[in-house]
mmCIF file of all heavy atoms in Angstrom:
data_model
loop_
_atom_site.group_PDB
_atom_site.id
_atom_site.type_symbol
_atom_site.label_atom_id
_atom_site.label_comp_id
_atom_site.label_asym_id
_atom_site.label_seq_id
_atom_site.Cartn_x
_atom_site.Cartn_y
_atom_site.Cartn_z
ATOM 1 N N CYS A 30 -84.255 116.392 144.689
ATOM 2 C CA CYS A 30 -83.193 116.745 143.671
ATOM 3 C C CYS A 30 -83.227 115.630 142.667
ATOM 4 O O CYS A 30 -82.327 115.519 141.875
ATOM 5 C CB CYS A 30 -81.748 116.566 144.270
ATOM 6 S SG CYS A 30 -81.662 118.076 145.528
ATOM 7 N N ALA A 50 -71.162 130.287 124.503
ATOM 8 C CA ALA A 50 -70.187 130.451 123.487
ATOM 9 C C ALA A 50 -70.943 131.322 122.320
ATOM 10 O O ALA A 50 -70.237 132.098 121.647
ATOM 11 C CB ALA A 50 -69.544 129.259 122.975
ATOM 12 N N VAL A 52 -74.114 132.948 122.221
ATOM 13 C CA VAL A 52 -75.024 134.274 122.689
ATOM 14 C C VAL A 52 -74.220 135.282 123.381
ATOM 15 O O VAL A 52 -74.122 136.373 123.086
ATOM 16 C CB VAL A 52 -76.158 133.783 123.182
ATOM 17 C CG1 VAL A 52 -77.033 135.024 123.387
ATOM 18 C CG2 VAL A 52 -76.980 132.814 122.201
ATOM 19 N N ARG A 74 -79.321 153.432 128.651
ATOM 20 C CA ARG A 74 -79.060 152.823 127.352
ATOM 21 C C ARG A 74 -78.020 151.688 127.593
ATOM 22 O O ARG A 74 -76.937 152.092 127.964
ATOM 23 C CB ARG A 74 -78.760 153.658 126.232
ATOM 24 C CG ARG A 74 -78.692 152.807 124.859
ATOM 25 C CD ARG A 74 -78.438 153.856 123.762
ATOM 26 N NE ARG A 74 -79.597 154.855 123.839
ATOM 27 C CZ ARG A 74 -80.268 155.283 122.645
ATOM 28 N NH1 ARG A 74 -79.747 154.805 121.605
ATOM 29 N NH2 ARG A 74 -81.234 156.183 122.719
ATOM 30 N N PRO A 76 -75.699 148.240 126.082
ATOM 31 C CA PRO A 76 -74.998 148.066 124.790
ATOM 32 C C PRO A 76 -75.768 147.325 123.956
ATOM 33 O O PRO A 76 -76.822 146.578 124.188
ATOM 34 C CB PRO A 76 -73.725 147.237 125.335
ATOM 35 C CG PRO A 76 -73.503 147.502 126.693
ATOM 36 C CD PRO A 76 -74.943 147.648 127.251
ATOM 37 N N ARG A 87 -83.847 134.720 128.865
ATOM 38 C CA ARG A 87 -85.154 134.663 129.641
ATOM 39 C C ARG A 87 -86.010 133.680 129.154
ATOM 40 O O ARG A 87 -86.496 132.655 129.843
ATOM 41 C CB ARG A 87 -85.851 136.117 129.555
ATOM 42 C CG ARG A 87 -87.073 136.113 130.371
ATOM 43 C CD ARG A 87 -88.029 137.372 129.902
ATOM 44 N NE ARG A 87 -88.214 137.180 128.446
ATOM 45 C CZ ARG A 87 -88.359 138.152 127.440
ATOM 46 N NH1 ARG A 87 -88.277 139.384 127.927
ATOM 47 N NH2 ARG A 87 -88.629 138.003 126.234
ATOM 48 N N VAL A 113 -73.253 126.106 135.449
ATOM 49 C CA VAL A 113 -73.996 126.773 134.324
ATOM 50 C C VAL A 113 -73.611 128.311 134.512
ATOM 51 O O VAL A 113 -73.299 128.962 133.563
ATOM 52 C CB VAL A 113 -75.513 126.608 134.471
ATOM 53 C CG1 VAL A 113 -76.225 127.426 133.534
ATOM 54 C CG2 VAL A 113 -75.738 125.134 134.102
ATOM 55 N N GLU A 115 -71.047 129.612 136.064
ATOM 56 C CA GLU A 115 -69.610 129.765 135.776
ATOM 57 C C GLU A 115 -69.505 130.075 134.259
ATOM 58 O O GLU A 115 -68.796 130.905 133.836
ATOM 59 C CB GLU A 115 -68.876 128.493 136.184
ATOM 60 C CG GLU A 115 -67.441 128.736 135.905
ATOM 61 C CD GLU A 115 -66.720 127.393 135.733
ATOM 62 O OE1 GLU A 115 -66.732 126.556 136.585
ATOM 63 O OE2 GLU A 115 -65.890 127.310 134.703
ATOM 64 N N PHE A 197 -74.282 152.812 143.693
ATOM 65 C CA PHE A 197 -73.620 151.477 143.235
ATOM 66 C C PHE A 197 -74.632 150.504 143.097
ATOM 67 O O PHE A 197 -74.520 149.347 143.302
ATOM 68 C CB PHE A 197 -72.553 151.093 144.312
ATOM 69 C CG PHE A 197 -71.259 151.898 144.465
ATOM 70 C CD1 PHE A 197 -70.363 151.789 145.526
ATOM 71 C CD2 PHE A 197 -71.031 152.720 143.472
ATOM 72 C CE1 PHE A 197 -69.156 152.673 145.659
ATOM 73 C CE2 PHE A 197 -69.812 153.658 143.570
ATOM 74 C CZ PHE A 197 -68.912 153.446 144.587
ATOM 75 N N VAL A 210 -87.885 145.474 139.808
ATOM 76 C CA VAL A 210 -88.242 145.276 141.241
ATOM 77 C C VAL A 210 -87.053 145.546 142.080
ATOM 78 O O VAL A 210 -85.987 144.887 142.164
ATOM 79 C CB VAL A 210 -88.652 143.864 141.566
ATOM 80 C CG1 VAL A 210 -89.204 143.712 143.017
ATOM 81 C CG2 VAL A 210 -89.660 143.326 140.611
ATOM 82 N N HIS A 211 -87.012 146.794 142.680
ATOM 83 C CA HIS A 211 -85.979 147.160 143.532
ATOM 84 C C HIS A 211 -86.258 146.557 144.982
ATOM 85 O O HIS A 211 -87.391 146.785 145.511
ATOM 86 C CB HIS A 211 -85.931 148.639 143.730
ATOM 87 C CG HIS A 211 -85.656 149.348 142.439
ATOM 88 N ND1 HIS A 211 -84.481 149.117 141.563
ATOM 89 C CD2 HIS A 211 -86.503 150.190 141.688
ATOM 90 C CE1 HIS A 211 -84.653 149.894 140.407
ATOM 91 N NE2 HIS A 211 -85.826 150.568 140.502
ATOM 92 N N GLY A 244 -98.843 150.038 136.349
ATOM 93 C CA GLY A 244 -99.485 151.360 136.454
ATOM 94 C C GLY A 244 -98.485 152.466 136.165
ATOM 95 O O GLY A 244 -97.622 152.419 135.453
ATOM 96 N N ASP A 248 -91.987 156.756 142.201
ATOM 97 C CA ASP A 248 -91.059 157.973 142.480
ATOM 98 C C ASP A 248 -89.703 157.530 142.600
ATOM 99 O O ASP A 248 -89.136 157.705 143.918
ATOM 100 C CB ASP A 248 -91.653 158.749 143.647
ATOM 101 C CG ASP A 248 -90.916 160.102 144.020
ATOM 102 O OD1 ASP A 248 -90.056 160.361 143.113
ATOM 103 O OD2 ASP A 248 -91.134 160.647 144.972
ATOM 104 N N CYS A 266 -75.778 152.393 138.966
ATOM 105 C CA CYS A 266 -76.602 153.556 139.082
ATOM 106 C C CYS A 266 -76.604 154.311 140.495
ATOM 107 O O CYS A 266 -76.555 153.466 141.510
ATOM 108 C CB CYS A 266 -78.017 153.203 138.657
ATOM 109 S SG CYS A 266 -78.092 152.648 137.080
ATOM 110 N N TYR A 314 -57.616 132.047 131.222
ATOM 111 C CA TYR A 314 -56.631 130.894 131.044
ATOM 112 C C TYR A 314 -56.746 130.379 129.478
ATOM 113 O O TYR A 314 -55.803 130.171 128.909
ATOM 114 C CB TYR A 314 -56.954 129.824 132.028
ATOM 115 C CG TYR A 314 -56.432 128.413 131.646
ATOM 116 C CD1 TYR A 314 -54.982 128.287 131.663
ATOM 117 C CD2 TYR A 314 -57.217 127.473 131.160
ATOM 118 C CE1 TYR A 314 -54.556 126.991 131.298
ATOM 119 C CE2 TYR A 314 -56.720 126.193 130.812
ATOM 120 C CZ TYR A 314 -55.397 126.010 130.967
ATOM 121 O OH TYR A 314 -54.814 124.779 130.576
ATOM 122 N N ALA A 317 -55.173 132.934 127.147
ATOM 123 C CA ALA A 317 -53.758 133.017 127.224
ATOM 124 C C ALA A 317 -53.121 131.700 126.683
ATOM 125 O O ALA A 317 -52.234 131.684 126.010
ATOM 126 C CB ALA A 317 -53.386 133.163 128.665
ATOM 127 N N LYS A 397 -65.989 133.256 148.365
ATOM 128 C CA LYS A 397 -66.150 134.536 147.886
ATOM 129 C C LYS A 397 -64.730 135.255 147.876
ATOM 130 O O LYS A 397 -64.196 135.652 146.824
ATOM 131 C CB LYS A 397 -67.147 135.521 148.670
ATOM 132 C CG LYS A 397 -67.589 136.804 148.010
ATOM 133 C CD LYS A 397 -66.628 137.875 147.950
ATOM 134 C CE LYS A 397 -67.274 139.028 147.265
ATOM 135 N NZ LYS A 397 -66.241 140.179 147.174
ATOM 136 N N CYS A 400 -61.659 132.902 146.098
ATOM 137 C CA CYS A 400 -61.876 132.854 144.603
ATOM 138 C C CYS A 400 -61.699 134.036 143.806
ATOM 139 O O CYS A 400 -61.359 134.135 142.627
ATOM 140 C CB CYS A 400 -63.118 131.974 144.333
ATOM 141 S SG CYS A 400 -63.151 130.332 144.980
ATOM 142 N N GLU A 423 -57.455 146.049 122.091
ATOM 143 C CA GLU A 423 -58.077 145.292 120.998
ATOM 144 C C GLU A 423 -57.807 143.865 121.246
ATOM 145 O O GLU A 423 -58.626 143.004 120.770
ATOM 146 C CB GLU A 423 -57.398 145.700 119.678
ATOM 147 C CG GLU A 423 -58.017 146.934 118.963
ATOM 148 C CD GLU A 423 -57.623 148.172 119.661
ATOM 149 O OE1 GLU A 423 -56.711 148.175 120.584
ATOM 150 O OE2 GLU A 423 -58.235 149.291 119.400
ATOM 151 N N THR A 501 -54.831 128.188 163.477
ATOM 152 C CA THR A 501 -56.065 128.103 164.149
ATOM 153 C C THR A 501 -55.836 128.223 165.589
ATOM 154 O O THR A 501 -56.571 128.891 166.300
ATOM 155 C CB THR A 501 -56.857 126.907 163.715
ATOM 156 O OG1 THR A 501 -56.993 126.869 162.293
ATOM 157 C CG2 THR A 501 -58.253 126.836 164.338
#
Side-chain angles (χ1 to χ4, degrees):
Chain A
C30 297
V52 179
R74 186 171 301 223
R87 181 197 61 210
V113 170
E115 183 202 311
F197 293 164
V210 184
H211 302 294
D248 185 6
C266 304
Y314 161 72
K397 199 285 181 181
C400 292
E423 277 75 8
T501 301

